[in-house]
Amino acid sequence: QAPLVESGGGLVQAGGSLRLSCVGSEINFRLKSATWYRQAPGKQREPVATIASGGAKDYTDAVKGRFTISRNSASRTLYLQMNNLKPEDTAVYFCNTPIRIHKNKWGQGTEVTVSS
C-alpha cells in the first residue's frame, strides 16, 4: 500500500491551534474509516479521532469539543483541526486506516509540542 504522510505539527503555546494533514491514496470514499492517533512521551499510542466513510465521527474524551476530524476525498487528505491546545496534547500524531494497521504499517508521524 502507498504510505500515508502526516504534516502540520509544530511548537505552539497553550490555547493555540494547529491543523494536521494526512495525505495518501487510501484517503477516499472506498475507506470505511480513518483515524488519528497520538503517542505522548513514555506512553502507548492511542486513538484520538475517527471518521467513517459515511461521515460519522468519534473522539476520545480528552479532546472532545477541541479537536475536529474531517476528510477531503478529492485531495485524498485527512485533517485534524486542534483548538485550545493543552500541554497534555504534546505527542507525535499519526494517521492510519484499518488495513494498514492490520499490516502494522505506520508513517513517520508529525510532532506536536504545546508549551504552557
Side-chain angles (χ1 to χ4, degrees):
Q1 297 179 76
L4 297 175
V5 181
E6 302 94 342
S7 63
L11 176 63
V12 64
Q13 293 183 343
S17 298
L18 287 172
R19 188 171 80 157
L20 307 184
S21 298
C22 168
V23 64
S25 62
E26 294 185 9
I27 309 302
N28 57 50
F29 283 114
R30 297 187 67 182
L31 292 172
K32 296 296 183 182
S33 66
T35 300
W36 283 99
Y37 299 80
R38 68 184 180 187
Q39 186 167 22
K43 303 293 181 63
Q44 290 188 320
R45 184 156 44 207
E46 63 175 348
V48 175
T50 296
I51 184 169
S53 61
K57 301 174 182 179
D58 187 43
Y59 301 92
T60 187
D61 287 344
V63 308
K64 286 182 178 177
R66 300 189 297 118
F67 290 12
T68 302
I69 187 171
S70 62
R71 176 171 54 203
N72 185 317
S73 59
S75 62
R76 297 177 175 177
T77 305
L78 182 73
Y79 301 100
L80 185 66
Q81 178 66 47
M82 306 186 295
N83 297 327
N84 191 24
L85 284 161
K86 302 177 180 180
E88 51 263 45
D89 295 319
T90 295
V92 178
Y93 285 72
F94 304 85
C95 62
N96 220 336
T97 65
I99 292 176
R100 292 183 63 86
I101 291 173
H102 179 72
K103 298 179 179 180
N104 196 28
K105 291 184 175 294
W106 297 85
Q108 296 299 308
T110 184
E111 186 172 353
V112 172
T113 301
V114 184
S115 62
S116 59

